Amino acid sequence: MTRGPKKIRSDARRNKDIIMSSTIELSHSNIDITEMKMLDIAKHGGVGVGTLYRHFESKARLCESVMDKQVETMFQEIDTYLEKHKK
């Protein structure tokens, strides 16, 4: 029997979103990503370090996910703009 993709609990999804948002907020406050510590990201988001590592095994994976999300959002905004300004 084949299983579909694992369903993510809503609290786990929320924690993951908090972690990614915290990373973005810290980077927007002129903190270089190379200077950020995983502990600082967790504290900023109000989650435990264990929670952070449960979602992202390394800072590189976290950065990759943040960039993927930002690119996805950018393409959604482009699609919305193009749809709105269709001739």
Side-chain angles (χ1 to χ4, degrees), residues 15-33:
N15 284 337
K16 187 173 183 179
D17 291 342
I18 288 169
I19 293 164
M20 291 176 57
S21 295
S22 295
T23 306
I24 292 167
E25 287 171 14
L26 287 170
S27 70
H28 286 169
S29 54
N30 294 326
I31 299 173
D32 190 315
I33 193 74

Side-chain angles (χ1 to χ4, degrees), residues 14-87:
R14 185 176 51 252
N15 284 337
K16 187 173 183 179
D17 291 342
I18 288 169
I19 293 164
M20 291 176 57
S21 295
S22 295
T23 306
I24 292 167
E25 287 171 14
L26 287 170
S27 70
H28 286 169
S29 54
N30 294 326
I31 299 173
D32 190 315
I33 193 74
T34 59
E35 300 298 318
M36 279 185 218
K37 306 253 184 296
M38 294 293 264
L39 177 62
D40 297 333
I41 295 167
K43 280 184 180 180
H44 184 78
V47 299
V49 177
T51 299
L52 190 151
Y53 278 106
R54 190 173 307 120
H55 292 285
F56 304 100
E57 65 187 36
S58 66
K59 189 165 41 168
R61 293 282 185 219
L62 172 56
C63 292
E64 185 178 287
S65 291
V66 167
M67 287 187 297
D68 287 347
K69 183 66 176 169
Q70 289 178 322
V71 168
E72 180 183 318
T73 300
M74 179 185 70
F75 279 118
Q76 288 171 347
E77 290 172 356
I78 290 169
D79 286 344
T80 300
Y81 176 85
L82 292 174
E83 194 60 38
K84 192 175 181 179
H85 294 88
K86 213 183 227 184
K87 289 189 178 189

